[in-house]
Amino acid sequence: MNRILRVNMTDQVVTEEPVAAVYAGLAGRGLTSKIVGEEVPPLCHPLGLENKLVIAPGLLSGTAAACSGRLSIGAKSPLTGGIKESNAGGTASQKIARLGIAAIIIEGRPPKGTLWKLVIDKKKAELAPAKGLKNKNNYKLVEKLTEEHGEKVSYITIGSAGERLMSAASIAVTDLENRPTRHAGRGGLGAVMGSKGLKALVIDDKGAPAVPIKDKEAFTKAIRKFAKALKEHPVTGEGLPTYGTNVLTNLVNEAGGLPTNNFSSGQFVDVSKVSGEAQREIILKRGGIATHACHRGCVIRCSRVYMDKNKKYLTKGPEYETIWANGPNCGISDLDVIARLDRLYDDIGVDSIEMGVTLGVLMESGYIEFGDSAGAIKLIREEVAKATPLGRILGAGTAVTGQAFGVERVPVVKRQAMPAYDPRAVKGIGVTYATTPMGADHTAGYSVTANVLGVGGNVDPLKPEGQVELSRNLQVATAAIDTAGLCLFVAFAVLDIPAAFEAIYEMINAQYGLSLGPDDIAGLGKAVLKEEIAFNKKAGFTAADDRLPRFFETEKLPPHNVVFDVPHSELDSVLNF
Ligand code: SF4
C-alpha cells in the first residue's frame, strides 16, 4: 500500500500522492487517526469544510491472514465532537489494499445540492455525479449501483440519514452477498460523508495484483498458526460460530449486567426469547444461515442471515449489540421486531446501538411505553426515515433526544450512546466507556473478557480493583489490532493463546520485512491512543469528559444493587502515558 488518494470535493479533483514520511508504517485506525490529527483542525465544525473523512485498510488487509478485512474510517465526529475511528467488515478493505491504496482522504465540500460517487479501479479514481441516487436508502442504492457497476465490486455508501447529516448516521460496506449490511456505525461518520456530498464509493480491484509479501514462507507459517489458534479457542472456535455475537445475551444477563429498560435493571425477564439459542432456532427453522462470514478469509464466521416469517431474506444477524439495544433495553422481546428495526437501520444508514439507546431514552420520557414494538418501528420508519422534526431529533442521537425530552437517565459518554454492558455490574467496561477517546464504546477496550467471560484472566466485575489496569491494557492492544485491520473478535484467542499473539507480529514482519516484537505492538497501540487523546484535548475535552453520567454513581443497579465506584483519580490515570 504505497499511495494515498486525495479527493477534493470542492473541485471534484482526485489526486494521487506517495505515502508521506509522517504516515509511513501506519494503516487502519493508526493511519486514520494520524491523518485526522495532522490535517483536521481540532476546533473545526465536524460537518464543515475543514473536516476530512479518511478511509484506510489495515496493515494485513488484502492478504490471506484470517479476519484481516476490517476497514477503518476516521474523522472528527459530529456526535462526540472528538476524534473518531469506526471500523467495519465487508469486502471493501481487502479490495482497497489490493489496489495498493493506503488511504482515501475526502476533503473540501462541493457546491450545495450536488451529490457524487467515487469510482476507483486499477487504472483510475474519479468522481461522477450520483445521478438518480439522491435520498436513496442503502438497499435500493446498492441495487441501483449494481446495475451499472456489477456485483463483483464493493460499495461503501450512505443512506438518507447520512445525506441529511444526522449525527447517528453510519457508513455501509457491502458484504459477500453484495448487501449493505456492514456498518461503520459509531460516531455519525455517515453525516461527515454526507457533508462532503459523497453518496457512494465503488471499489473495483479487477486485475489488481496480490498484496506483496516480503517473506512468503514465513507468512504462510504465521497465518496457519494464527488460524489454528482461532479455531482452537472455545469462543472463536465454537461460541461465535454457533450462536454469533448473540452468544453473549444469556451470559451478560446472568452476570446482572444486561441493561434493561434504559439501564434501570441488569437483568431482562424475557431473556430466553432474545438469546443466541432462540435466534439460532429461528434462523435454522426458516432456512436462514446460522454461520456466515462477512468477508473472505474469516475463520470465525460470527455473522448470520435472518429470514422473515415467510422465509424471505430480512437482514443480517442481528448482532448482540443490536438485539440488546432494541430488545431488553427497550423492553422488547420479539426477535422479528428487532430484526425489522435492524433492517431499517441498515437501510436508512444509522447506528443500531445509538438508535436503540435513543428509543430507550424516549420510552423513559413516556413518549411511548417500554415494550411498544409497533411504536418503535413507526418512529424509525415514519419519523427518522422521513426526517420529520421528531425524526431529526432521534437521528441526532441519545444525548440530544434526552435533552429534548427532559430525561435524566441518559446513558452516554462524550455524547455517544453506551453499548450493551451496564458499567455498574461490569466495571471494567465502565472504565473503557469513560476514558476511551472514542466516547462510550465497548470495542475500544473490551473488559467483558476478564470481567464476565474468564478470557485473559479473571477480574471481579463488581469490584473496582484491577479494572483500570485491565481497561488500559485492552485499550492499547485494541488500538494495535484496529491498526492491523484484524477483526476485534480475534482478541479472545490472542488473550488466551500465546501463539495467536505471536502470529500477529510474525504476519506483519513477514509481510513487510520487519522485525517487530511484542513491545513494538504495545508501542504502536500507545502511539495511536496518544494521537487521539492529543486531538481531543485540542478540541476542548478535559478530565471532566472522562466520566460516566452521574446516575451510574448514585443509582443502584439490580440485581446486585451496585453503583459504579471506580474513583475519578483512577480514571484519570488510565491513559496517562
Ligand atoms: S468474526 Fe464476524 S465480524 Fe469478524 S470478520 Fe468474521 S464474520 Fe466478520
Side-chain angles (χ1 to χ4, degrees):
M1 293 184 288
N2 54 8
R3 58 192 181 118
I4 286 180
L5 291 184
R6 201 172 279 276
V7 184
N8 182 337
M9 298 303 302
T10 308
D11 308 320
Q12 296 93 54
V13 172
V14 184
T15 50
E16 189 181 311
E17 61 196 42
V19 176
V22 67
Y23 302 140
L26 291 171
R29 173 175 167 187
L31 186 54
T32 62
S33 289
K34 186 72 182 169
I35 293 174
V36 172
E38 290 283 326
E39 300 193 14
V40 175
L43 293 173
C44 74
H45 194 288
L47 302 177
L49 183 70
E50 295 175 297
N51 200 6
K52 301 190 182 191
L53 187 75
V54 186
I55 300 174
L59 283 171
L60 292 164
S61 295
T63 73
C67 306
S68 62
R70 299 301 287 192
L71 184 68
S72 287
I73 307 184
K76 176 170 174 170
S77 161
L79 188 74
T80 69
I83 197 165
K84 192 76 208 166
E85 184 267 356
S86 184
N87 60 65
T91 58
S93 185
Q94 290 170 323
K95 289 191 195 315
I96 295 171
R98 277 199 285 270
L99 287 163
I101 298 167
I104 304 165
I105 304 175
I106 297 146
E107 57 192 25
R109 198 165 46 190
K112 216 175 168 56
T114 62
L115 197 62
W116 303 85
K117 64 179 176 181
L118 175 63
V119 183
I120 302 172
D121 62 26
K122 200 182 140 199
K123 292 196 188 125
K124 61 175 191 318
E126 57 191 25
L127 284 161
K131 276 191 207 137
L133 303 183
K134 193 161 177 53
N135 282 334
K136 284 249 171 312
N137 283 326
N138 282 313
Y139 274 87
K140 276 265 176 300
L141 171 63
V142 167
E143 236 177 80
K144 192 107 178 80
L145 286 165
T146 303
E147 284 169 17
E148 199 176 335
H149 302 280
E151 275 189 353
K152 292 195 173 155
V153 302
S154 297
Y155 299 104
I156 303 172
T157 59
I158 53 170
S160 55
E163 272 187 73
R164 287 159 173 162
L165 311 182
M166 293 185 182
S167 296
S170 62
I171 297 176
V173 180
T174 45
D175 61 17
L176 281 171
E177 287 74 31
N178 196 34
R179 291 173 177 142
T181 60
R182 306 290 138 182
H183 288 243
R186 311 244 58 202
L189 297 183
V192 180
M193 191 160 147
S195 75
K196 302 293 178 203
L198 186 61
K199 184 70 175 166
L201 289 89
V202 181
I203 315 288
D204 183 355
D205 68 341
K206 192 170 164 213
V211 168
I213 306 285
K214 282 254 163 54
D215 183 341
K216 285 189 180 149
E217 202 182 313
F219 190 74
T220 305
K221 211 168 138 200
I223 60 172
R224 285 192 184 142
K225 182 169 163 179
F226 190 55
K228 182 169 175 280
L230 294 178
K231 284 182 187 153
E232 269 170 20
H233 194 276
V235 176
T236 49
E238 200 182 328
L240 286 169
T242 310
Y243 297 112
T245 49
N246 201 14
V247 69
L248 287 162
T249 295
N250 275 335
L251 296 169
V252 180
N253 190 64
E254 269 164 39
L258 188 74
T260 297
N261 289 5
N262 190 32
F263 288 75
S264 58
S265 169
Q267 284 185 329
F268 183 48
V269 66
D270 282 329
V271 71
S272 63
K273 296 184 185 162
V274 294
S275 67
E277 291 78 352
Q279 187 182 5
R280 184 177 165 83
E281 211 179 299
I282 292 176
I283 287 173
L284 291 176
K285 201 166 76 190
R286 295 179 184 170
I289 301 175
T291 306
H292 178 261
C294 75
H295 62 72
R296 270 189 198 91
C298 169
V299 299
I300 302 174
R301 299 166 63 86
C302 81
S303 177
R304 41 222 63 233
V305 175
Y306 193 96
M307 306 302 202
D308 64 16
K309 283 181 175 146
N310 299 318
K311 301 190 175 180
K312 289 232 164 67
Y313 170 82
L314 180 56
T315 188
K316 54 74 173 75
E319 307 298 341
Y320 164 67
E321 299 288 341
T322 306
I323 288 175
W324 156 77
N326 298 277
N329 184 56
C330 291
I332 292 174
S333 59
D334 185 337
L335 275 172
D336 284 332
V337 169
I338 298 166
R340 282 174 67 196
L341 285 166
D342 184 67
R343 168 65 183 250
L344 281 168
Y345 296 148
D346 280 358
D347 201 27
I348 302 163
V350 281
D351 176 18
S352 59
I353 298 176
E354 192 69 40
M355 294 317 298
V357 179
T358 298
L359 285 175
V361 163
L362 193 69
M363 288 170 173
E364 172 102 28
S365 79
Y367 188 85
I368 60 171
E369 297 294 314
F370 282 108
D372 183 351
S373 302
I377 289 175
K378 195 167 163 211
L379 282 167
I380 303 304
R381 200 182 47 208
E382 304 296 326
E383 306 288 348
V384 180
K386 293 182 180 165
T388 63
L390 173 58
R392 284 189 173 275
I393 291 172
L394 302 179
T398 305
V400 167
T401 301
Q403 214 165 354
F405 284 82
V407 177
E408 189 185 341
R409 191 188 289 118
V410 181
V412 297
V413 179
K414 301 181 180 71
R415 300 179 74 77
Q416 180 167 276
M418 211 171 264
Y421 315 86
D422 196 298
R424 290 163 287 192
V426 192
K427 292 189 202 288
I429 204 76
V431 174
T432 297
Y433 291 162
T435 59
T436 166
M438 296 294 145
D441 182 354
H442 61 300
T443 67
Y446 192 64
S447 310
V448 180
T449 46
N451 272 181
V452 177
L453 305 173
V455 169
N458 283 289
V459 176
D460 187 337
L462 301 176
K463 297 202 172 125
E465 289 80 22
Q467 310 295 358
V468 163
E469 197 189 350
L470 175 65
S471 172
R472 178 191 299 125
N473 291 341
L474 288 167
Q475 289 196 56
V476 169
T478 303
I481 286 176
D482 290 343
T483 298
L486 291 168
C487 173
L488 185 60
F489 296 140
V490 307
F492 293 111
V494 169
L495 288 167
D496 276 342
I497 303 176
F501 180 53
E502 284 160 23
I504 292 182
Y505 56 83
E506 285 167 4
M507 291 188 292
I508 295 171
N509 287 343
Q511 184 181 344
Y512 294 96
L514 299 171
S515 49
L516 304 177
D519 291 348
D520 297 306
I521 299 294
L524 174 65
K526 278 186 188 167
V528 174
L529 285 163
K530 273 187 190 169
E531 184 76 46
E532 294 167 349
I533 292 162
F535 184 95
N536 279 1
K537 270 195 187 144
K538 287 187 220 150
F541 285 71
T542 68
D545 296 296
D546 289 342
R547 302 286 181 261
L548 301 185
R550 180 73 178 144
F551 77 89
F552 287 109
E553 297 177 338
T554 57
E555 203 179 280
K556 288 184 179 168
L557 179 78
H560 296 298
N561 294 319
V562 278
V563 295
F564 184 75
D565 53 359
V566 178
H568 291 179
S569 58
E570 287 194 27
L571 293 179
D572 292 341
S573 73
V574 176
L575 300 180
N576 196 7
F577 41 68

